[in-house]
Amino acid sequence: MKRFLTVIGTLLMLTVMCMPAMGADKVIERSRKKAPDWIGENSSGFITIVVERPSLNEAMREAEVELARRIISAVALNITHSTSAEASDEWTDNTNRYLESFTSKTETAAAKLPFLKGVSLSKATDSYWEKREEKGTKRNYVVYSVRYPLSERELADMTAEFEKTDREKYRELQSLRAGLPDIDSSDRIQDALGRLTALEEYFFDAVRIKETKALAANYRELYKGLTLDGEFQKDARKLTCRVLLKGKPFKVTAMPKLSSNCASQLSATHSADSYSFSVTYSDEDCLANEENWIEVSLRLKDARLVKKFFFKVIREEED
């Protein structure tokens, strides 16, 4: 409870610090005859937002963003206050940087943080605006104030929801790290990279962002470990090829490019499990006393595998 009161108190201090100066310029229009008492007042259970913009519409849009930013800040403060008491000195030293990183991602985070769903100015208990004229320049601008309810219970629920989501995200990162040795297809590499990109955008702290980037680099590095292998079937004009990742079978669905110095009617067919493909050909125009080869070229995202396979000419015995 004490921790939640501290967070609310911090938010209220931020509200007072961010308020434009009242009464410094001439008020030429206002939403009601008298400014409400809650502007500039430290009231438990509420967030007061005061923004200044050239027009009312712009001020309302900015207030919506500022509301999300303020709630994210509240949750961040809640997390750092509860964690730093039991964490290492290293975490405590980085608390401010974590908080700054957390709150700086407001605009991108707003769509991804579940506890912000339903947060809207439409739920504000009161609002007030003034259109003012700046002394000297005669510039017109609007000061928009809004009072939004945020109880200690709601803040606790938001924090719990965020912590649950955050744990799930980190478990996903751990799962991707554990699954790295078992990767057996380009599709799985690309799926992992897509998920890691989303995680990097989500994480707010430098440590996990660094972990995510490093793991993504490890996944991309897998393409460099691919090799192409193959063997000709005896007494048949067929070459069976396999792609290997560090010696392990790797699924391939891409069609290879085939060429030869003499063979014709080149054709490739994938196996049902996609762990191999067969190349059939005709050696009618190949000579038994010359070097004959088929070149297989395969493009797999960031990797290009090329290999020449040499074969012997098969001739049917004449009667």
Side-chain angles (χ1 to χ4, degrees):
M1 181 65 72
K2 182 179 179 181
R3 173 158 49 87
F4 294 128
L5 291 174
T6 302
V7 171
I8 295 295
T10 303
L11 285 173
L12 291 171
M13 285 189 289
L14 287 172
T15 300
V16 174
M17 290 169 61
C18 296
M19 286 175 58
M22 301 293 285
D25 296 323
K26 180 181 178 182
V27 178
I28 57 178
E29 191 178 349
R30 63 180 70 194
S31 59
R32 66 180 79 165
K33 290 183 178 181
K34 184 181 177 182
D37 295 334
W38 50 261
I39 297 179
E41 182 182 82
N42 290 355
S43 181
S44 178
F46 291 91
I47 295 177
T48 301
I49 296 170
V50 184
V51 296
E52 176 187 315
R53 285 295 182 272
S55 69
L56 180 58
N57 285 338
E58 290 178 274
M60 292 178 71
R61 285 195 296 270
E62 177 59 24
E64 191 96 46
V65 173
E66 180 61 25
L67 175 60
R69 183 182 296 116
R70 201 70 62 78
I71 291 176
I72 288 176
S73 297
V75 173
L77 282 168
N78 227 354
I79 293 168
T80 54
H81 284 177
S82 62
T83 307
S84 59
E86 300 176 359
S88 65
D89 292 338
E90 182 179 355
W91 169 259
T92 305
D93 292 340
N94 286 282
T95 296
N96 289 335
R97 277 181 291 177
Y98 174 83
L99 177 57
E100 290 172 4
S101 177
F102 192 105
T103 55
S104 69
K105 290 192 174 183
T106 302
E107 292 185 9
T108 57
K112 302 173 184 177
L113 298 178
F115 63 81
L116 287 177
K117 292 178 180 179
V119 172
S120 169
L121 290 182
S122 63
K123 296 183 179 179
T125 57
D126 199 6
S127 64
Y128 173 77
W129 59 265
E130 290 182 354
K131 185 176 181 181
R132 301 179 187 176
E133 182 182 274
E134 190 176 52
K135 293 179 180 179
T137 65
K138 302 300 181 182
R139 176 183 67 91
N140 288 344
Y141 63 93
V142 172
V143 175
Y144 179 74
S145 307
V146 64
R147 193 184 198 210
Y148 190 87
L150 182 64
S151 67
E152 295 166 8
R153 180 60 191 172
E154 287 174 313
L155 181 56
D157 290 343
M158 288 178 174
T159 302
E161 188 173 2
F162 168 75
E163 290 178 328
K164 177 184 176 183
T165 301
D166 201 62
R167 285 192 297 270
E168 290 172 353
K169 295 294 184 182
Y170 191 61
R171 278 197 293 268
E172 183 178 2
L173 178 61
Q174 292 175 314
S175 175
L176 288 168
R177 184 184 294 110
L180 183 64
D182 301 322
I183 291 297
D184 66 349
S185 71
S186 179
D187 288 344
R188 288 186 63 184
I189 294 176
Q190 294 306 121
D191 175 69
L193 289 173
R195 291 165 65 188
L196 286 167
T197 296
L199 288 173
E200 184 182 338
E201 293 175 355
Y202 168 83
F203 288 137
F204 302 94
D205 56 296
V207 173
R208 291 187 299 178
I209 290 174
K210 184 178 179 180
E211 287 181 25
T212 305
K213 287 182 176 180
L215 185 57
N218 289 338
Y219 268 93
R220 285 189 288 268
E221 194 73 14
L222 291 176
Y223 285 113
K224 296 182 180 180
L226 295 176
T227 57
L228 181 61
D229 192 19
E231 59 184 13
F232 289 92
Q233 293 186 14
K234 292 182 178 180
D235 302 326
R237 298 171 179 85
K238 180 185 289 187
L239 167 66
T240 301
C241 293
R242 289 169 295 275
V243 174
L244 303 175
L245 175 58
K246 298 179 180 179
K248 296 181 180 180
F250 190 83
K251 288 184 180 181
V252 171
T253 56
M255 292 301 296
K257 288 185 178 181
L258 307 172
S259 62
S260 174
N261 64 333
C262 66
S264 59
Q265 301 178 36
L266 297 166
S267 178
T269 304
H270 286 284
S271 63
D273 60 9
S274 298
Y275 281 117
S276 66
F277 59 89
S278 297
V279 177
T280 56
Y281 61 95
S282 170
D283 63 0
E284 183 179 358
D285 299 324
C286 300
L287 300 177
N289 60 348
E290 289 188 357
E291 194 175 68
N292 306 296
W293 50 262
I294 294 173
E295 183 177 89
V296 179
S297 176
L298 199 61
R299 171 70 71 177
L300 299 172
K301 296 298 180 181
D302 296 336
R304 182 172 179 265
L305 306 177
V306 182
K307 189 171 182 177
K308 282 184 178 180
F309 297 92
F310 295 88
F311 64 91
K312 293 181 179 180
V313 175
I314 299 174
R315 289 286 181 257
E316 302 293 340
E317 294 184 4
E318 296 181 0
D319 294 334

